[in-house]
Amino acid sequence: MGSPTGRQRQFPSGAAYAEALQHTDLCFEHPELRGAKPELTKLGLPRAISGAFASVFSLTSAASGRRYAVKCFTRHVPDQESRYQAISDRLARLEPAELSQPWNLGFEYLPDAIGVGSQRYPVLKMEWTDAVTLSSWLDDHHSDRFAVDRLADRFEAVVRDLAEHEIAHGDLQHGNLLVASDDTFRLVDYDGMYVPALAGFGGTERGHRNYQSPMRGNDDFGAAMDRFSAWVIFMSLKAIAVDPPLWRRLHQPSGEFLLLTEEDFKNPGGSTGLRTLLAHPDSTVSGLADRVRSLAFQPLELLPPLADAIPRQRGAAATTTSASGPPKTASPAEGRLPDWMSGHVPSQAAPASAAPSTSSPDGFRIRTASDVVAAVLWPLSLVVAVLVTLTGFPSPLIGAAGAVIAAALFTAFAWSRRAERVRSRAVLIGLQTELARLDDSVKAAEKLRKDKATFDAAETKRTAAHSQAQDRLTAQYHAALKEAEKRKVRRQREVDKAIDGLSEELRKALGKALADKQSAYVRDQLGRRTIAQSPPHGIGPKLAARLAAAGIRTAADFKGYRPVHNTSYNTTGAVLVLSNGRAVNVQGIGEAKAIALDIWRQNLLAAAVARQPSALSAAERQQTEQSIALRRARLADRRKAVEAEAEDSRKEARRHLDAGQERLAHENALAGDRARRQRREFGRRTVELQQDSALHATLSASLQAAELHHRGLSVACYLRFLYTGR
């Protein structure tokens, strides 16, 4: 059922859909959805997962028993049906064998599928998958470094799949990335997906704000729109794989982000989370964080694909090798024999079996005069020995032995002086000396192992101390905020209490002002009635004069009397009580006359009270109210001042936090530089040990060959050389 021409169609709310889904046999016509059983809340209503554009319900088909996610749209999406048709056609053409994992879920767009009231609306029927969101998976598995690292690689594989098929999801974030039980991804929410058939269409959404570039607008729609969010998610997963405590430190429970938020991308200089990642001692974490920071303000069309990160992670060794240029000639320390041995022993490239044998041309070569003499002496000594024996020499054995010994001694002398023997012996001594020097490499290797272990332990301790210092700073910051808030609330309560008390105080002040006005009026009226002019009964001029002399001229000058008992005469008199409370005794005023005076005064008082004013004038009331209003304004200013003081305290706490973090970052950077230099030094020592090991193997093989060669220069070989020339 189409929308009216020229007017955007209105869609039901999620609550309206939930009400309709209570009767799926009536609201649906599709055979797979008619009579389906929805998942219910504790109140027995269909459970909805609501988003910006739709509400999703879980329904189990009565016909097939299969479970579906049914998306009911709550907002108008331009070209909705044609978009979903294009997406469905493109995803249907994907071959499972071409994908790294089964991330795409089958869906069917059903126009006019659900009836709500008198209208029918489209729904999206998707396969249900038993999986959890990426953030929920990380809550449970962030400490498993291998699993998180493997998941990061699988996420990169999903992104690579999308890029190879020119598809973009449009809203890559933790809620749309589901992790199945086999730790592979499933993508959901295809509302903003781009496929090549939608080229030229506009975007329908910007995606989750905590995963998108600040440069992305509503109209950005193309194959490259996932690149920034892909870098953010990949960086987060790799960082957690390297340092699992980052999840607890930078992620908030139920937070709508992984490690960084929209504010971190918009204001990287003020981002605590980004500074933590940039200062991380692991180059993978700091490198990826720096890449994300640099990408945040680049145009979307210039952002590199996530595949650019992989050579840095996996092909570093190959890249380094290829970038180093052509191979250099090996130095003596790189496993080659010292120059002085060249030509005397077989090279390291030749196998030991290629060493010269006793019959090789490396044996004795050119005869010398000594060789000729030695060759002649042996036959001659035999002849002499025979002649001595035959001629009856007195000691024939001694004579024969002497001749043979002389020949042997000269032969030994000539043999030992042969240049081949001298050179061979020098080579053997040199090789043995070199090997003796290299034997210390075992100790050097053990020392290197211990040094690296000590360094690693110190680095682990330093990294932990850095994290603890950050946590302490954060805790101090939150404690300062809490204390500032408590102090503000306490002072504001005091001010509010004073403000609330002003109304009662105004009432009392107005009451007091009226009472003062009435009292003044009564006093004035009493002061106008003199005793002399209108004397009470029994008071003549003489008594009036005596009363005046005592200070009682009007009804206002006294306030009553007090009886006085005279014990001497057993009579009762009276004293009058002046207005100031002093009692006076007036001659001629006894108890009867005092009572008459008091009655006279009471009558006048009653008459004055009856005529006294019952309200303040506007001017008199305004004066009191202005005084209270002034106090109210001062209290309001005080309340604002309390808020300002609290804000100053918060700013001071923030300055302290920023300064501490900057100091820690600086110290960590310096320590990181020292650690990198130390690692390079360990690398240099490791290379030297490897070179020494290679040289040791070469020297050992050469020593074996030299010893074999030296054995080929034995006396027996020398005698054979004397007579055969070989």
Side-chain angles (χ1 to χ4, degrees):
M1 188 173 293
S3 62
T5 303
R7 182 166 60 89
Q8 184 171 296
R9 186 180 184 187
Q10 298 296 317
F11 280 77
S13 64
Y17 280 119
E19 183 178 355
L21 287 172
Q22 295 183 63
H23 307 284
T24 56
D25 55 335
L26 299 177
C27 67
F28 286 123
E29 294 179 351
H30 192 282
E32 193 72 359
L33 298 180
R34 182 192 291 273
K37 182 179 180 181
E39 182 182 349
L40 302 178
T41 65
K42 293 180 179 180
L43 298 177
L45 299 176
R47 183 186 303 278
I49 302 174
S50 298
F53 293 89
S55 291
V56 180
F57 299 88
S58 170
L59 276 77
T60 303
S61 173
S64 64
R66 297 181 62 183
R67 193 175 180 188
Y68 296 100
V70 176
K71 174 176 284 189
C72 300
F73 301 98
T74 56
R75 286 176 57 183
H76 171 76
V77 177
D79 308 306
Q80 185 179 67
E81 184 171 357
S82 56
R83 286 175 184 269
Y84 273 113
Q85 189 61 53
I87 295 168
S88 177
D89 292 344
R90 184 66 188 93
L91 295 183
R93 295 199 304 272
L94 294 178
E95 292 292 338
E98 297 177 349
L99 304 180
S100 63
Q101 52 208 289
W103 50 262
N104 61 319
L105 299 176
F107 70 90
E108 184 180 3
Y109 181 83
L110 304 175
D112 299 336
I114 185 171
V116 180
S118 61
Q119 300 287 323
R120 301 199 68 82
Y121 301 91
V123 301
L124 194 72
K125 178 171 72 72
M126 297 188 69
E127 297 176 6
W128 184 270
T129 181
D130 288 318
V132 297
T133 62
L134 176 57
S135 55
S136 296
W137 187 92
L138 286 171
D139 282 336
D140 296 333
H141 299 91
H142 66 273
S143 59
D144 188 340
R145 295 186 177 186
F146 174 78
V148 178
D149 190 65
R150 180 180 59 193
L151 196 70
D153 294 338
R154 286 179 175 171
F155 171 74
E156 185 276 328
V158 170
V159 174
R160 191 184 295 270
D161 287 346
L162 293 169
E164 288 176 352
H165 294 89
E166 296 183 88
I167 300 172
H169 181 274
D171 190 16
L172 289 180
Q173 45 114 330
H174 64 276
N176 292 335
L177 288 166
L178 306 185
V179 184
S181 57
D182 60 352
D183 289 352
T184 57
F185 281 104
R186 305 290 185 272
L187 296 186
V188 297
D189 190 0
Y190 299 163
D191 293 350
M193 181 172 281
Y194 170 86
V195 295
L198 295 179
F201 282 66
T204 61
E205 57 178 287
R206 289 189 63 238
H208 198 296
R209 61 188 180 85
N210 290 330
Y211 293 83
Q212 299 302 324
S213 166
M215 304 293 288
R216 181 174 176 179
N218 291 328
D219 295 331
D220 289 310
F221 189 62
M225 63 180 175
D226 283 341
R227 289 184 177 179
F228 185 79
S229 54
W231 278 98
V232 170
I233 296 169
F234 183 77
M235 180 273 295
S236 300
L237 291 173
K238 282 294 184 182
I240 296 167
V242 170
D243 188 359
L246 285 174
W247 178 250
R248 296 296 187 197
R249 191 180 313 152
L250 300 182
H251 179 77
Q252 296 176 1
S254 302
E256 290 293 307
F257 62 95
L258 294 181
L259 299 182
L260 299 178
T261 68
E262 177 187 30
E263 290 303 316
D264 298 315
F265 307 140
K266 288 183 175 179
N267 182 24
S271 167
T272 301
L274 195 53
R275 280 204 301 267
T276 299
L277 296 174
L278 289 170
H280 200 280
D282 188 276
S283 60
T284 299
V285 177
S286 58
L288 286 172
D290 186 59
R291 194 69 182 271
V292 168
R293 177 180 62 175
S294 67
L295 297 179
F297 295 98
Q298 293 185 23
L300 296 186
E301 63 272 12
L302 299 182
L303 296 183
L306 181 58
D308 286 10
I310 306 309
R312 290 182 175 85
Q313 306 301 322
R314 299 177 183 169
T319 304
T320 304
T321 303
S322 63
S324 62
K328 300 177 182 179
T329 305
S331 66
E334 292 174 334
R336 186 170 63 84
L337 289 174
D339 292 338
W340 63 270
M341 295 183 186
S342 301
H344 298 292
V345 297
S347 69
Q348 70 184 65
S353 59
S357 65
T358 56
S359 60
S360 73
D362 289 335
F364 299 107
R365 296 183 180 180
I366 301 174
R367 290 190 181 94
T368 63
S370 299
D371 298 331
V372 174
V373 172
V376 171
L377 278 179
W378 279 105
L380 185 61
S381 65
L382 293 175
V383 171
V384 171
V386 171
L387 291 176
V388 169
T389 303
L390 294 177
T391 57
F393 192 79
S395 300
L397 291 178
I398 295 175
V404 173
I405 290 172
L409 289 174
F410 186 82
T411 300
F413 171 75
W415 171 69
S416 65
R417 297 297 299 272
R418 285 291 303 187
E420 295 88 345
R421 285 281 301 178
V422 173
R423 285 196 299 272
S424 178
R425 188 180 300 109
V427 168
L428 282 174
I429 294 173
L431 289 171
Q432 290 167 349
T433 302
E434 286 292 312
L435 281 173
R437 181 184 66 80
L438 290 178
D439 282 341
D440 292 336
S441 64
V442 177
K443 296 180 180 178
E446 179 62 19
K447 185 176 186 304
L448 175 61
R449 186 191 66 77
K450 291 181 178 179
D451 290 347
K452 289 179 70 174
T454 302
F455 170 78
D456 290 340
E459 273 298 284
T460 301
K461 184 177 180 181
R462 182 186 69 80
T463 303
H466 177 70
S467 299
Q468 292 169 359
Q470 285 184 318
D471 293 342
R472 282 195 300 272
L473 267 179
T474 304
Q476 290 170 1
Y477 172 65
H478 289 300
L481 292 183
K482 185 177 180 181
E483 179 59 30
E485 186 65 18
K486 285 173 61 178
R487 187 165 54 249
K488 182 193 79 171
V489 169
R490 185 176 64 251
R491 292 179 179 177
Q492 284 184 339
R493 283 177 179 170
E494 293 173 355
V495 173
D496 291 342
K497 184 177 180 181
I499 291 175
D500 292 341
L502 288 178
S503 298
E504 178 64 19
E505 193 169 338
L506 174 61
R507 187 187 66 78
K508 291 181 178 179
L510 291 174
K512 183 177 183 300
L514 179 59
D516 291 344
K517 181 178 181 180
Q518 292 173 336
S519 178
Y521 174 82
V522 170
R523 283 198 305 273
D524 178 69
Q525 292 298 313
L526 293 179
R528 292 175 183 272
R529 302 301 295 270
T530 63
I531 297 173
Q533 292 176 350
S534 56
H537 179 72
I539 303 299
K542 289 184 179 179
L543 285 178
R546 290 174 187 169
L547 288 170
I552 302 174
R553 294 182 179 83
T554 68
D557 294 334
F558 72 103
K559 58 182 180 180
Y561 75 97
R562 189 167 62 238
V564 178
H565 183 67
N566 190 334
T567 56
S568 299
Y569 299 99
N570 194 23
T571 61
T572 300
V575 294
L576 297 176
V577 180
L578 300 180
S579 297
N580 59 11
R582 186 169 64 87
V584 294
N585 185 13
V586 179
Q587 183 181 2
I589 300 298
E591 184 178 14
K593 289 184 172 52
I595 291 173
L597 280 171
D598 187 55
I599 292 173
W600 173 75
R601 181 183 177 281
Q602 291 297 330
N603 291 333
L604 293 175
L605 177 63
V609 169
R611 296 190 304 272
Q612 68 181 358
S614 60
L616 295 173
S617 66
E620 293 168 337
R621 186 179 182 88
Q622 183 180 15
Q623 182 179 3
T624 303
E625 289 175 343
Q626 285 179 344
S627 174
I628 295 297
L630 179 61
R631 292 183 57 192
R632 188 184 299 275
R634 289 173 179 171
L635 287 172
D637 291 340
R638 177 56 186 157
R639 198 179 197 285
K640 292 179 182 178
V642 169
E643 179 62 41
E645 290 171 4
E647 182 61 24
D648 291 341
S649 298
R650 287 191 288 267
K651 289 180 179 178
E652 179 60 30
R654 185 71 201 188
R655 283 194 293 269
H656 179 73
L657 174 65
D658 291 341
Q661 288 179 332
E662 184 176 354
R663 174 179 54 80
L664 287 178
H666 178 67
E667 293 174 354
N668 192 55
L670 293 178
D673 291 340
R674 290 194 296 270
R676 282 188 284 274
R677 288 195 297 270
Q678 185 60 59
R679 289 192 183 95
R680 287 196 293 269
E681 175 62 18
F682 285 146
R684 184 190 64 77
R685 288 168 62 183
T686 300
V687 171
E688 285 185 355
L689 285 174
Q690 292 172 344
Q691 293 170 349
D692 287 350
S693 178
L695 181 58
H696 190 282
T698 301
L699 289 174
S700 297
S702 299
L703 181 60
Q704 291 178 359
E707 288 173 343
L708 182 62
H709 180 264
H710 195 68
R711 286 196 296 272
L713 301 175
S714 64
V715 174
C717 295
Y718 179 65
L719 291 175
R720 184 180 63 185
F721 166 73
L722 290 180
Y723 296 105
T724 64
R726 297 167 55 193

